[in-house]
Amino acid sequence: MTDEELHTALDQAALWLNAAERVCVLTGAGVSAESGVPTFRASDGLWEGHRIEDVASPGGFERNPTLVWNFYNERRANVKKVAPNPGHHALVELEKRRGDRFTLVTQNVDGLHQAAGSRNVLEIHGSLRRTRCLGCGTVANRELEPLGAEPRCPQCRGQLRPDIVWFGEGLPDDVWSAAMDAAHECHVLLVVGTSAVVHPAASLIPIAKRGAVIPAKVIEVNLTSTEASRYADVGLYGPSGVVLPKLVQ
Ligand SMILES: CC(C)NC(=O)[C@H](Cc1c[nH]c2ccccc12)NC(=O)[C@H](CCCC/N=C(/NCCC(=O)O)S[C@H]1O[C@H](COP(=O)(O)OP(=O)(O)OC[C@H]2O[C@@H](n3cnc4c(N)ncnc43)[C@H](O)[C@@H]2O)[C@@H](O)[C@H]1O)NC(=O)OCc1ccccc1
Ligand SMILES: [Zn+2]
């Protein structure tokens, strides 16, 4: 996208954003790429030669919990080394201007939105920072402290798993229904750094497009066109760490 084209698209997007009463944002791995968190696509969906769907799945955990915990401990250790980027901070600024008429729905489990200062964040795929006990069900915030290959529950010594939504698992009802409501009621949906391939997360885009009262304006921010592009009213193609600060300035 030429600078001229990006400039024109930014003007249009800013107009819709400023006119919108309710704003919803959907983010994916791309918003954290400039912080040094690898995206799924960047690794061709593979980790150490394993298809991510195999590692990030209940079956994978049953077969080899140590392998799965190594996968997540490696990602926890990496997130501990990185910081939010200007894209995360721009979304914090956007929320400040909107207060409770702003909802940030993220597919990311890295917690970088909250680390940047975002408040109304819906983690529809869970978080690297939480564990869930398969014995007593306790969900605990363990931040990014090292957890070892097979962590046990401090309460009941039960087996712990990451509090993350794996492939083939349903999303947490309360968080998912809040996300659907936010998409349904928004006037602008900002879709940032997602390939929009994974479901049901990607279905938030057509939900917003249908809209409760009026169809939402969909603004896509990505390095390239995606499965979401057919719903986009305007596309801002460039690194989100560069484009988002321009959009909210
Ligand atoms: C692969 C896909 C086709 N498969 C699915 O969607 C499956 C199956 C399925 C269900 N319904 C369907 C309908 C159609 C087809 C398939 C399905 N869905 C499920 O299994 C879901 C669960 C899905 C959630 C899985 N967990 C994740 N994450 C946590 C784990 C973990 O993280 O370890 S999904 C995970 O992958 C997805 C990766 O996508 P992105 O984040 O978009 O990242 P990606 O790398 O793909 O793209 C990055 C983008 O950024 C851009 N980019 C890069 N750098 C930048 C930059 N600098 N700036 C801007 N943009 C940038 C790139 O261009 C690119 O576009 C995210 O959602 C992420 O959270 N569960 C379920 O259906 O359960 C049933 C059920 C229902 C009810 C009750 C019981 C059971
Ligand atoms: Zn327990």
Side-chain angles (χ1 to χ4, degrees), residues 29 34 40-41 72 75 107 125 165 168-169 194-195 199 222:
E34 290 152 85
F40 290 69
R41 242 100 306 254
Y72 284 103
R75 291 171 66 188
Q107 300 168 78
H125 292 163
V165 179
E169 291 186 323
T194 184
S195 56
H199 287 264
N222 199 295

Side-chain angles (χ1 to χ4, degrees), residues 25-34 39-42 91 104-108 113 124-125 189-206 218-232 236-240 244:
V25 180
L26 174 64
T27 65
V31 79
S32 294
E34 290 152 85
T39 66
F40 290 69
R41 242 100 306 254
L91 294 174
L104 200 168
V105 180
T106 188
Q107 300 168 78
N108 301 343
H113 286 301
I124 58 174
H125 292 163
L189 176 70
L190 200 50
V191 180
V192 184
T194 184
S195 56
V197 166
V198 168
H199 287 264
S203 69
L204 291 172
I205 304 166
V218 174
I219 300 170
E220 178 173 43
V221 178
N222 199 295
L223 292 178
T224 173
S225 61
T226 71
E227 286 297 310
S229 304
R230 60 193 144 115
Y231 297 106
L236 308 176
Y237 297 108
S240 53
L244 288 174

Side-chain angles (χ1 to χ4, degrees), residues 75-248:
R75 291 171 66 188
R76 299 171 94 251
N78 178 51
V79 171
K80 197 171 178 148
K81 291 187 295 215
V82 304
N85 66 63
H88 295 105
H89 293 295
L91 294 174
V92 173
E93 186 51 37
L94 202 53
E95 180 175 15
K96 279 197 186 120
R97 295 182 195 163
R98 283 251 157 3
D100 62 4
R101 290 171 289 116
F102 175 98
T103 304
L104 200 168
V105 180
T106 188
Q107 300 168 78
N108 301 343
V109 296
D110 57 30
L112 290 179
H113 286 301
Q114 296 94 323
S118 288
R119 305 165 67 80
N120 190 11
V121 179
L122 299 173
E123 296 177 306
I124 58 174
H125 292 163
S127 173
L128 278 173
R129 299 171 192 236
R130 293 192 303 270
T131 60
R132 187 160 79 235
C133 175
L134 296 177
C136 65
T138 299
V139 172
N141 187 341
R142 308 294 292 271
E143 285 306 332
L144 298 166
E145 68 189 80
L147 283 178
E150 280 208 50
R152 289 279 155 183
C153 173
Q155 271 84 28
C156 76
R157 305 308 303 153
Q159 184 183 29
L160 292 180
R161 60 163 281 174
D163 184 32
I164 281 181
V165 179
W166 284 330
F167 288 92
E169 291 186 323
L171 280 55
D173 291 341
D174 54 345
V175 179
W176 178 240
S177 56
M180 286 195 289
D181 292 349
H184 193 54
E185 288 151 18
C186 72
H187 302 98
V188 163
L189 176 70
L190 200 50
V191 180
V192 184
T194 184
S195 56
V197 166
V198 168
H199 287 264
S203 69
L204 291 172
I205 304 166
I207 288 172
K209 203 68 194 176
R210 277 196 297 278
V213 184
I214 53 165
K217 291 295 181 193
V218 174
I219 300 170
E220 178 173 43
V221 178
N222 199 295
L223 292 178
T224 173
S225 61
T226 71
E227 286 297 310
S229 304
R230 60 193 144 115
Y231 297 106
D233 296 285
V234 68
L236 308 176
Y237 297 108
S240 53
V242 174
V243 169
L244 288 174
K246 287 187 176 158
L247 182 59
V248 300

